Amino acid sequence: MTKRGRVFAGIRCTGRQHLGNYLGAIQNFVALQEEYDCVYSAVDIHTITTPWEPGELRENVWETVLDLLAAGIEPERTILYVQSHVPEVLELAMLLGMITPLGWLTRVTTFKDKVRLHPDHVNYGLVGYPVLMTADIILYKATRVPVGEDQQPHLELAREIARRFNRLFGETFPEPHAKLTEAPVVLGLDGVNKMSKSLDNHIELVATPEETVERVMTAVTDPQRTHRHIPGRPEVCNVYSLHHQFNPDQVEVVYEECTTAKRGCVECKQQLADGINRVLAPFRERRQELAGRPNYVEEVLADGAARARVIAGETMAEVRDKMGLPAAYGH
Ligand code: SF4
C-alpha cells in the first residue's frame, strides 16, 4: 500500500555506526517509515568503490544491518536488504551508463575529492558511482531520497539521468527529490571535524557505557578554558552542542554554569556521557538481542531482497523493452 510515495536510502557499510550517523541519518530513516514506503539498502557495492578489506566487508555489512534494525527499522513495513543481493541494480547501472555522458561524472566534486584521496584507486567503478546511485533509486521508482545539503549535487545528477532516460525512451522514471533532513551536522570529539570513523573522533552506538564515558572524556572543549575557574564559552564547545541531543532539559543549566564557572568540564562530560548512555540503552539492548539471533537477521535480509527483486524485476522488464533489448527467448 503506497503512502506518500516511496523513499530510497543507501547506507554505506562502514561497520558499526556512530552517534553522527545516528543523529544525522538513521533517526530520520526510522521516522520516515511512518509516512512513506521505505526501501533501505546496505550498499556493499558502493562501499567497495574506495579501497576495502575483503575480510572485513562481510562483517561490516552485518554490523551496519544490526545497527539499522536495533535503531528501529521495521522489516515488516520497510524493505531492508543488501545491495548486491539485488543484482538488477548492476544491470540498470550498466544500461544507464550507456546514456550518461562521461563529463557529467568527472565533474562531480566527490569524484575529484576521492581521486585526490586515493590516487591509486581511480577506477571505472568510482567514476560510475553516481550512476549506480541513480540506479539504486530509480530501480524502485523512488520519489524521495533523504539526504543532507552536501549530497544535493548527486541527487541532481540522478534527476538528470532519469530525465535523459525518459526523454530518450519515454516516460519511465519519476524524478527523485531530496527529502532534506533538519538533522544537525554532528561534530566529532575533536570539536572541529564532522564525526567520522576514519578520523577516530567518533563514539560507536554499540559502545559500552564505560567506553562511552572514556570516549567522551577525550572530547575537546572550549580551548580558552584552561582552568576550572575560567568561565567557558558553550557556543564554541561541542560537548555543549551534544547536550542538546542527549540532555535537552539541562541545556540552560549547562550554559549558565559553564559561563559562570560553576561547573567543570569533567563533570559536564560525565553528564553528557550519562545522557548518551541513557538515550542509547534501549538501542543497545535490542542490538545485543539481535546479535544473538543471526538466523532472524538473515531471514530479514532474504525477505527484503526478495521483495526488492519483485519491484526491480518489473522495472527491468520495462527498461529492457523500452531500450529495445530483445526479450529472453523461451519465456
Ligand atoms: Fe564545554 Fe561543559 Fe566545559 Fe562548558 S563546562 S566548556 S559546556 S564541557
Side-chain angles (χ1 to χ4, degrees), residues 221-222 225 234 237 239-240 254 258 263-265 268:
T221 62
D222 175 5
R225 204 167 183 216
C237 176
V239 173
Y240 176 68
V254 173
C258 171
R263 71 162 52 207
C265 291
C268 193

Side-chain angles (χ1 to χ4, degrees), residues 49-65:
T49 52
T50 47
W52 79 100
E53 284 294 330
E56 291 173 9
L57 182 60
R58 216 164 282 144
E59 184 66 20
N60 284 342
V61 172
W62 190 253
E63 297 283 347
T64 303
V65 168

Side-chain angles (χ1 to χ4, degrees), residues 219-223 225 231-241 243 254-255 257-259 263-269:
V220 174
T221 62
D222 175 5
R225 204 167 183 216
R233 298 171 301 163
E235 57 281 2
V236 300
C237 176
N238 190 35
V239 173
Y240 176 68
S241 306
H243 272 298
V254 173
Y255 189 93
E257 291 185 353
C258 171
T259 50
R263 71 162 52 207
C265 291
V266 171
E267 129 195 33
C268 193
K269 290 178 184 178

Side-chain angles (χ1 to χ4, degrees), residues 11-17 41-45 47-48 56-68 81-85 287 297 301:
I11 299 97
R12 274 177 79 90
C13 304
T14 47
R16 296 174 168 190
Q17 305 289 296
S41 175
V43 288
D44 52 347
I45 302 170
T47 307
I48 62 174
E56 291 173 9
L57 182 60
R58 216 164 282 144
E59 184 66 20
N60 284 342
V61 172
W62 190 253
E63 297 283 347
T64 303
V65 168
L66 287 184
D67 278 341
L68 292 171
Y81 70 99
V82 177
Q83 185 184 29
S84 62
H85 295 172
R287 196 185 192 285
V297 178
L301 293 176

